[in-house]
Amino acid sequence: NAGVTQTPKFQVLKTGQSMTLQCAQDMNHNSMYWYRQDPGMGLRLIYYSASEGTTDKGEVPNGYNVSRLNKREFSLRLESAAPSQTSVYFCASSVRGQGNPNEQFFGPGTRLTVL
Amino acid sequence: QKEVEQDPGPLSVPEGAIVSLNCTYSNSAFQYFMWYRQYSRKGPELLMYTYSSGNKEDGRFTAQVDKSSKYISLFIRDSQPSDSATYLCAKAGTASKLTFGTGTRLQVTL
């Protein structure tokens, strides 16, 4: 069981370039999430997918798009990267979309620098 | 005002000390609170969760929620160097979304 995997681990982009961050989970979880983590700001939710076929905006969705490709995979796309998107990005998954408590399992993160 | 406020630290304590980590929250409509631990350059992992009031103990860790003052605490007894990490409090909302505090960095020294 690999849990939640993310690719790439590191990425450097120039302003205006695009890229897709990949996330996959092998725990048969319904819900998946994308966060960014910045110093002094904590973890902030970008987008989430409560179940396959649905996606919703989180706290900081501007500049990002997501695709829930299937139950296992949830990708995050930056169409035109900006220096303000320099951050560490975490993908997470959880068992169900409703009800609590609901432990979220996190991937190892992608460190993105936009020059 | 952020929904969950947390002192970022860093907090440095000697091995064996009792550690108290705290958060405050502003919305009373939530029932569950969680503590995540994050080692350097790793993803967060759930340490423990508790309901909206009372204490929960798990080994050296105790989570406490004071609903009247909207205060969440994590106590670590007999702290060890392996406890050195960032601790994030979170409250659970709708659609299983979590709102995190900024995290407190803890260093336990020998």
Side-chain angles (χ1 to χ4, degrees):
Chain A
N1 242 4
V4 179
T5 56
Q6 292 182 236
T7 55
K9 288 187 169 52
F10 303 92
Q11 184 71 50
V12 178
L13 292 177
K14 294 181 180 177
T15 297
Q17 287 185 316
S18 62
M19 79 160 296
T20 299
L21 281 65
Q22 307 285 355
C23 174
Q25 51 90 11
D26 62 1
M27 296 175 283
N28 201 35
H29 285 172
N30 292 325
S31 302
M32 297 185 74
Y33 313 81
W34 275 106
Y35 293 89
R36 61 178 289 174
Q37 187 173 37
D38 304 290
M41 302 296 292
L43 280 163
R44 292 182 292 170
L45 184 65
I46 305 171
Y47 271 94
Y48 69 100
S49 172
S51 60
E52 186 179 354
T54 68
T55 60
D56 283 289
K57 295 178 181 179
E59 182 185 354
V60 288
N62 290 345
Y64 305 95
N65 285 302
V66 290
S67 295
R68 183 75 184 265
L69 304 169
N70 47 55
K71 192 171 185 179
R72 289 188 64 248
E73 298 172 288
F74 189 38
S75 62
L76 178 71
R77 182 159 179 85
L78 287 70
E79 290 291 350
S80 179
S84 60
Q85 294 178 304
T86 293
S87 188
V88 182
Y89 291 86
F90 288 100
C91 177
S93 70
S94 64
V95 172
R96 52 200 167 125
Q98 298 292 333
N100 290 299
N102 200 355
E103 178 180 1
Q104 291 186 15
F105 293 80
F106 284 80
T110 294
R111 293 181 174 273
L112 175 66
T113 301
V114 183
L115 302 174
Chain B
Q1 182 187 8
K2 286 175 68 73
E3 287 195 45
V4 180
E5 299 271 6
Q6 188 173 7
D7 186 338
L11 181 63
S12 182
V13 301
E15 183 180 7
I18 296 174
V19 176
S20 173
L21 303 168
N22 305 298
C23 290
T24 57
Y25 63 96
S26 59
N27 189 330
S28 300
F30 301 96
Q31 294 185 314
Y32 298 91
F33 297 90
M34 297 177 166
W35 283 97
Y36 277 78
R37 178 174 61 194
Q38 185 177 21
Y39 291 113
S40 181
R41 295 185 173 264
K42 301 287 186 185
E45 55 183 358
L46 181 66
L47 191 58
M48 58 195 306
Y49 70 86
T50 185
Y51 293 91
S52 58
S53 62
N55 294 356
K56 183 174 183 179
E57 189 173 319
D58 184 0
R60 296 185 294 110
F61 299 88
T62 299
Q64 186 177 76
V65 179
D66 183 339
K67 202 174 179 181
S68 60
S69 59
K70 299 181 183 175
Y71 212 71
I72 313 162
S73 300
L74 179 71
F75 299 97
I76 307 174
R77 292 183 299 281
D78 187 24
S79 56
Q80 303 295 310
S82 59
D83 295 328
S84 298
T86 296
Y87 291 81
L88 300 139
C89 62
K91 63 172 181 65
T94 57
S96 301
K97 290 190 293 183
L98 298 179
T99 301
F100 286 88
T102 54
T104 299
R105 189 155 60 92
L106 172 67
Q107 181 73 36
V108 181
T109 57
L110 291 169

